[in-house]
Amino acid sequence: MSKFYVTTPLYYVNDKPHIGHAYTTILADVLARFHRSNGDEVYFLTGTDEHGQKIQEAAEKRGVDPQTHVDEYVQNFQNLWKKLHIDYDDFIRTTEPRHTDRVKELLQELWDKGEIYADEYEGYYSVSEERFITEKEAEEGDFREIKKLKERNYFFKMSNYQDKLIEHIETHPDFIKPSTRRNEVLGFLKKPLNDLCISRPKSRLNWGIELPFDKDFVTYVWFDALLNYITAIGWRNDNDKFEKWWPANYHLMAKDILTTHAVYWPTMLMASDVQLPKTILSHGWWMMGETKMSKSLGNVINPMDFIEQYGVDPVRYFLMRDMVLGQDASFTEDGFIRRYNSDLANDFGNLVNRVTILIHKHFDSKIPQPGKFDEVDLELIGVAKSTPQIVRKHIEEMKIPDAIEVSISLMRNLNRYLETRAPWKLVKEDKSAWSVSATTLFLSADILRIGAQLLHPVMPSRIETILSILGASKIPINDVSLGLLKAGSSLGEGKSPFPRIDVK
Ligand code: ME8
């Protein structure tokens, strides 16, 4: 048994969550469920980023104070996660004292150690990214609103850690995944790294954590939010807990916030004498046509509406099945329906109905007693026995679509096996053929159960329905060995929870 600590980004509570936020959180949930079912001890952390300019502006727009705003908007996230069956272990809000107290202590310590210094700085400032940008970035980048600012501020000596960070990335191939993103970060680090401006004068922004050594400033929202990954697990508060979980196995996020996680965060940890996380995993974007789905562009899919219409598990399935790690993916209702109908309604759902209807009709609703296995049976058994191992390997390598595909492909194999055996014809023939169809249906039901169990982390609720239809709800979800469905045990009631979606 080992430990598995996985995190999502802390989402800004300036707006409601959309499919992009749902994706990262479902991915973390699937990994957490998979590791739990493997017997690992799991800590799955998510939460909300509640300080900074974006939040202050959102509250001003609504005419409420920021605290009232965040207390209301955090519920949009918590409600959606509940609806999506997200089984997190902890939800951290950056306005909680368990977080803010530690952030203040660290700021003071870094100031005392000389890791933070004051300086006057004149430069370009991106309003949307809430940070100073270089002249080159200002010329080339896609920043909507840029201001020229001259300000006294506080800076973290990030540049001191540039060489150490490059060395860490080069000697730890799994530190940033996938490798394309790792190369991007190494490319970025070829240029001199600036120190990081970690303060905002209260004259511009007062919704943040006050600098303990200068009451006229609050800290930069990222210098606050990133620390959640250690404050949530008891850093400098509950040492046993911290030692148990840190370093994180995975920080999950999309590529938009890779630099903050792969450059700012490790250097902050180095300055604080804390070990670095094991893997920073950056996935692609869900796109609407050619553009990124994003709050500021307003082209978002509201997950609540989609779930109401199609159900939670099909949405979880589609998001996990259709995004290859590291690549962008396109979200369309047509694509969703096509995937649902082919994998879930046809390959999986029909199989559930076929197998259970035949057992109800010809075997008195009881799992038949198998006879001797022949070559065709043994070939199928071979495939079924090797599948769990392959799924495990794909998940460990973060190839979630491949893990799903292998499980669905087991269903396709079963469908073909049934076509070959045609038990619906055999049962009409003489008694000697009965034992062949009993064997066929016994194996089909048992292997169908294994395929279903492998998909449990992705679709927990509907898989449990299927297991109860197969009379297998008492079999431990993590046991995918063959032969656990006992001959003579009764099937449950019901039919496949994946009815076909008719396309208008
Ligand atoms: O960046 N496709 O919060 P945020 C895929 N508060 N994933 C997407 C997505 C899309 N179109 N849009 C959003 C912040 N995401 C900071 C994080 S962490 C200490 C602070 C997901 O609300 C994806 O995980 O803008 C992305 O990285 C995150 O939401 C950004 O969430």
Side-chain angles (χ1 to χ4, degrees):
M1 193 172 75
S2 49
K3 70 97 192 163
F4 185 75
Y5 175 29
V6 62
T7 69
T8 73
L10 292 203
Y11 305 112
Y12 286 126
V13 282
N14 58 340
D15 211 335
K16 290 183 181 159
H18 60 70
I19 285 285
H21 305 106
Y23 172 77
T24 317
T25 314
I26 295 169
L27 177 61
D29 187 57
V30 168
L31 293 175
R33 286 175 184 272
F34 171 79
H35 279 271
R36 276 188 214 113
S37 80
N38 252 359
D40 294 338
E41 271 196 286
V42 172
Y43 202 87
F44 165 15
L45 173 71
T46 188
T48 40
D49 191 350
E50 304 195 345
H51 290 128
Q53 196 167 313
K54 285 189 172 64
I55 313 298
Q56 182 169 300
E57 280 168 8
E60 271 164 16
K61 223 163 131 188
R62 295 178 60 222
V64 297
D65 67 279
Q67 190 63 54
T68 309
H69 171 80
V70 298
D71 287 346
E72 282 172 18
Y73 267 55
V74 67
Q75 293 171 34
N76 293 323
F77 288 83
Q78 289 172 333
N79 291 341
L80 179 63
W81 301 157
K82 199 164 172 200
K83 204 116 206 172
L84 280 169
H85 303 148
I86 303 297
D87 192 7
Y88 52 75
D89 296 286
D90 194 359
F91 188 103
I92 188 162
R93 303 176 56 185
T94 54
T95 48
E96 287 176 59
R98 66 167 164 155
H99 175 74
T100 54
D101 288 352
R102 297 290 91 68
V103 175
K104 282 185 213 156
E105 282 164 21
L106 181 70
L107 282 164
Q108 184 65 52
E109 188 181 310
L110 295 180
W111 171 248
D112 294 342
K113 284 205 294 191
E115 293 282 347
I116 292 175
Y117 62 93
D119 197 10
E120 178 100 2
Y121 184 80
E122 184 170 12
Y124 294 102
Y125 185 81
S126 154
V127 177
S128 64
E129 293 207 358
E130 298 179 51
R131 66 176 178 98
F132 283 98
I133 53 176
T134 60
E135 210 167 318
K136 195 153 184 273
E137 278 182 298
E139 277 164 24
E140 293 172 1
D142 181 19
F143 301 96
R144 268 158 291 136
E145 199 186 332
I146 297 176
K147 283 183 189 163
K148 193 136 196 211
L149 283 182
K150 186 176 178 187
E151 252 175 24
R152 190 180 119 84
N153 265 305
Y154 289 89
F155 293 83
F156 162 54
K157 287 186 181 165
M158 189 158 74
S159 56
N160 275 359
Y161 298 96
Q162 178 162 12
D163 293 342
K164 212 173 150 191
L165 178 59
I166 294 173
E167 193 197 323
H168 185 86
I169 299 173
E170 282 175 344
T171 53
H172 295 78
D174 287 343
F175 183 55
I176 302 168
K177 277 189 182 170
S179 57
T180 44
R181 299 274 169 254
R182 178 172 176 262
N183 294 339
E184 261 173 43
V185 175
L186 283 171
F188 173 84
L189 288 169
K190 283 213 171 90
K191 288 171 269 170
L193 189 61
N194 290 332
D195 287 343
L196 182 66
C197 177
I198 56 114
S199 64
R200 298 295 180 261
K202 281 194 183 165
S203 51
R204 275 204 288 128
L205 172 74
N206 58 36
W207 181 240
I209 301 179
E210 192 177 271
L211 292 188
F213 45 84
D214 191 336
K215 306 222 168 315
D216 291 334
F217 291 84
V218 295
T219 192
Y220 172 41
V221 65
W222 278 99
F223 210 79
D224 150 3
L226 285 162
L227 285 162
N228 90 87
Y229 300 131
I230 57 176
T231 59
I233 51 164
W235 178 63
R236 294 202 174 159
N237 189 29
D238 179 345
N239 207 37
D240 288 348
K241 185 172 179 186
F242 181 67
E243 291 294 318
K244 174 168 178 183
W245 296 109
W246 192 255
N249 295 69
Y250 280 107
H251 288 321
L252 307 179
M253 78 219 59
K255 58 189 176 184
D256 50 341
I257 53 175
L258 176 63
T259 309
T260 49
H261 281 81
V263 179
Y264 299 4
W265 178 225
T267 57
M268 286 164 70
L269 288 168
M270 285 172 180
S272 320
D273 295 317
V274 178
Q275 248 184 298
L276 304 195
K278 287 191 179 147
T279 299
I280 291 165
L281 188 126
S282 151
H283 59 74
W285 283 330
W286 282 96
M287 310 285 280
M288 295 292 280
E290 298 291 303
T291 40
K292 180 195 171 201
M293 191 188 293
S294 99
K295 292 174 278 202
S296 49
L297 297 173
N299 60 346
V300 299
I301 299 265
N302 179 343
M304 284 289 192
D305 298 344
F306 221 75
I307 297 166
E308 285 310 322
Q309 193 169 357
Y310 297 112
V312 173
D313 282 344
V315 172
R316 288 175 61 112
Y317 182 86
F318 175 69
L319 290 175
M320 291 302 106
R321 174 64 186 80
D322 273 46
M323 179 173 271
V324 175
L325 188 87
Q327 293 175 18
D328 292 340
S330 163
F331 193 98
T332 64
E333 191 164 5
D334 281 356
F336 167 84
I337 294 175
R338 238 178 292 126
R339 174 64 72 192
Y340 173 95
N341 277 342
S342 89
D343 289 11
L344 298 179
N346 287 1
D347 293 337
F348 192 6
N350 278 347
L351 183 66
V352 172
N353 288 340
R354 253 175 158 181
V355 171
T356 52
I357 287 169
L358 284 166
I359 297 177
H360 279 303
K361 197 164 162 199
H362 302 290
F363 292 92
D364 195 21
S365 304
K366 293 196 171 57
I367 300 294
Q369 179 69 45
K372 203 169 157 11
F373 297 135
D374 67 12
E375 246 171 59
V376 180
D377 301 321
L378 290 173
E379 198 186 321
L380 179 71
I381 290 173
V383 176
K385 274 192 168 162
S386 63
T387 301
Q389 205 45 42
I390 300 172
V391 167
R392 214 164 281 145
K393 189 160 180 293
H394 284 320
I395 294 193
E396 271 154 18
E397 290 170 359
M398 291 301 245
K399 293 181 181 158
I400 311 295
D402 295 19
I404 294 176
E405 180 55 25
V406 169
S407 313
I408 291 291
S409 141
L410 182 62
M411 315 287 184
R412 288 194 204 108
N413 262 309
L414 255 175
N415 274 319
R416 276 195 298 273
Y417 165 79
L418 277 173
E419 292 294 335
T420 316
R421 287 289 201 225
W424 46 90
K425 279 193 205 145
L426 286 180
V427 287
K428 292 195 186 119
E429 290 170 14
D430 62 276
K431 272 280 172 208
S432 62
W434 266 77
S435 115
V436 176
S437 55
T439 307
T440 301
L441 287 169
F442 167 83
L443 265 189
S444 302
D446 204 28
I447 293 174
L448 171 57
R449 169 191 63 79
I450 292 174
Q453 279 180 310
L454 292 172
L455 288 168
H456 185 262
V458 181
M459 300 187 288
S461 160
R462 293 203 189 182
I463 293 298
E464 277 161 32
T465 305
I466 289 171
L467 294 178
S468 81
I469 294 172
L470 291 171
S473 48
K474 290 193 187 74
I475 296 172
I477 220 87
N478 60 345
D479 197 340
V480 285
S481 12
L482 265 168
L484 295 184
L485 216 52
K486 293 283 174 250
S489 66
S490 297
L491 290 192
E493 292 294 318
K495 55 179 191 214
S496 156
F498 300 114
R500 224 187 133 69
I501 300 173
D502 288 324
V503 189
K504 290 143 248 164

